[in-house]
Amino acid sequence: MSGWRLALKASPALRVDLRGVTPAALASMAPAEVERLPVGYGNTRVALAEFFSLSPHPEDDTLDFEGDLSRFDRVGCDLAGGRIRVEGSVGHHAGEGMRAGELLVKGSAGLLAACEMAGGAFTVQGDVDDFAASTLPGSMDGMRGGTFVVMGHAGARFADRMRRGSAVVHGDAGDFLASRMVAGTVAVGGRAGAHAGYGMRRGSLVMAAGASSVELPATFVPALGAADVFWQLLARDLARHGGPFAGLAQRRIERHLGDLSADGKGEILIAG
C-alpha cells in the first residue's frame, strides 16, 4: 500500500498525542480504519480524522503531515522504518525512542526531541527546545544511536546522558551542553552556554566556531598527545552536514580532556 498525506484541519484546543501514527502502523489499514485510528487528546481519545484530512501518498512507507503541528506531541515516536515528513513545526517528544527510518521536521520542535533515540536519521530544520537528544525524566540513558541534526539552535541540556550516535547543531546550544555524556559525538556550529561538558564521562564534543564559542570548564585540561588521525576521520564525517562543519578537516584543533571532577575521559575539540 502507498503512504499517506495528513493535512491539518485546524489547531486543536488541547495537546494531541500522535504516538503510534507511523508508516508501518498505517500500512495494513484501509482508509476508513486510518480515519478512525484513536489518538490521545487531553484525557480522552478521538479519531485521527478529527484533526486531519487524509489522502493517499504515491510513495510507499511515507507519511507526510501538512500544517503546524506545534500542539501535536510524539510525532515519530518509536519509528522503526519508513519516512515521516512534517511541513511545519512539531510539539514535544518528537522522535522519542525512534529506532530506524527517517524523520524530517521542516519547522521547529519542542521539548525532548530525539530523547532516547536509538537509530535512524532525524532532522529538524528549525530550533529545538530543552533536553533534545537526552533522556526521559527518571531514566539513565540519553540518545543511544542514529543521527540527529538541528539546523537552527538548541536549548539547554542538549545530549544530556548521551550514550551513542551523532548529534549535530548548526546554530547555538544552551547551558549544560553534553552534560553527563557517556559516549558518542556532539558537534556545534555556534556558541555554547555555560557549563558545557558538565559531568562528561566519555565522548567527543566538537566546537566548530573556535575558542570564543565555549567557556572551558576548569575541570578540563589540555591534552598532551596528538590525535591527528582520529580528528581527520571525525572531521570528514562531520563535513557531510555542511555549513560550519564543511571545512573542519583543514583546521587544527585544541583538545581538552575531562570532566576530571567525574573521573571522565571525554574530550572537547575546539577548531582553530
Side-chain angles (χ1 to χ4, degrees), residues 2-135:
S2 63
W4 291 94
R5 283 195 179 98
L6 276 66
L8 184 65
K9 294 178 179 178
S11 181
L14 304 177
R15 303 198 71 84
V16 180
D17 189 335
L18 288 181
R19 77 177 83 203
V21 183
T22 65
L26 304 186
S28 60
M29 294 184 181
E33 293 177 302
V34 177
E35 291 178 351
R36 293 194 302 268
L37 183 68
V39 294
Y41 183 58
N43 294 324
T44 188
R45 295 176 71 80
V46 301
L48 187 65
E50 290 290 320
F51 307 110
F52 298 98
S53 299
L54 287 74
S55 59
H57 195 292
E59 298 179 44
D60 289 341
D61 297 323
T62 299
L63 176 57
D64 279 359
F65 288 96
E66 299 175 359
D68 182 4
L69 270 60
S70 298
R71 299 185 67 81
F72 291 78
D73 300 330
R74 291 184 170 86
V75 175
C77 178
D78 294 326
L79 181 67
R83 295 174 295 276
I84 297 179
R85 296 185 292 238
V86 183
E87 296 283 345
S89 295
V90 295
H92 308 317
H93 294 267
E96 174 188 315
M98 67 178 288
R99 302 184 299 278
E102 301 174 14
L103 175 57
L104 171 62
V105 175
K106 296 185 178 181
S108 295
L111 296 166
L112 293 158
C115 62
E116 302 192 5
M117 176 181 177
F122 181 8
T123 301
V124 177
Q125 293 185 349
D127 303 330
V128 295
D129 212 330
D130 298 344
F131 291 98
S134 69
T135 177

Side-chain angles (χ1 to χ4, degrees), residues 168-190:
V168 177
V169 179
H170 282 242
D172 300 335
D175 295 343
F176 292 97
L177 168 68
S179 59
R180 303 180 292 183
M181 185 176 176
V182 179
T185 300
V186 175
V188 177

